[in-house]
Amino acid sequence: MKKNALLTALVLLAVSGLLLHYRIHPFLVPDRLHPYISVFDGSKLPATLLPLIDVIVVTALFLQRKTAAYGYLLNGVLVIYGTIFMAHFSLAEIVAKNIPFPAMLLKSTLPDIGIAWADFFVGKALYDLYLKGEA
């Protein structure tokens, strides 16, 4: 039962991160001349690709005990890369726009980074459950 709850939490966090990334970085954007037509913007695809890997590949790897270690490893790599990328772009924007400190926390990607790390720790709990043989 614990496995199902943790796996569900892992998927929900990954899907939430994917939807959040797509809302912020949509790779299908309305055309400027024809707003009813969507145009592919390849520069925003990598921002959505990492959460998509989290949803599909990490979830698939955590489904079985023998591949859970790879899921744990990939989940950790994605979280570290995501943290670095989000913190870098957030700090660059804060410095460029000269945002004051109180507003800095709300304008930063700190909540997004928190979601990514929550996803990692749920994955860790699931991996520990597999390690103990309880799943």
Side-chain angles (χ1 to χ4, degrees):
M1 188 63 181
K2 290 180 188 179
K3 174 190 167 190
N4 293 337
L6 288 172
L7 196 56
T8 302
L10 188 77
V11 171
L12 287 175
L13 285 167
V15 168
S16 298
L18 175 64
L19 294 175
L20 183 63
H21 267 85
Y22 186 72
R23 185 177 68 184
I24 296 169
H25 311 287
F27 55 86
L28 291 175
V29 293
D31 187 29
R32 290 185 183 179
L33 296 177
H34 309 287
Y36 52 87
I37 297 175
S38 294
V39 178
F40 178 73
D41 182 4
S43 66
K44 297 181 180 179
L45 185 62
T48 306
L49 192 60
L50 291 178
L52 187 63
I53 291 170
D54 188 16
V55 171
I56 296 170
V57 179
V58 171
T59 301
L61 290 171
F62 269 117
L63 286 175
Q64 295 182 358
R65 184 172 194 237
K66 63 182 177 181
T67 58
Y70 298 113
Y72 180 49
L73 179 67
L74 182 59
N75 197 19
V77 168
L78 290 173
V79 168
I80 290 168
Y81 274 119
T83 299
I84 292 169
F85 288 145
M86 287 188 283
H88 168 74
F89 290 118
S90 180
L91 290 173
E93 184 176 352
I94 287 169
V95 169
K97 292 183 178 178
N98 200 15
I99 298 173
F101 180 73
M104 185 185 303
L105 293 174
L106 295 175
K107 300 268 185 189
S108 74
T109 56
L110 190 61
D112 308 58
I113 292 170
I115 290 172
W117 280 97
D119 180 278
F120 171 75
F121 286 118
V122 168
K124 182 189 180 338
L126 185 57
Y127 177 70
D128 288 345
L129 201 63
Y130 277 122
L131 216 57
K132 291 179 185 175
E134 297 176 16

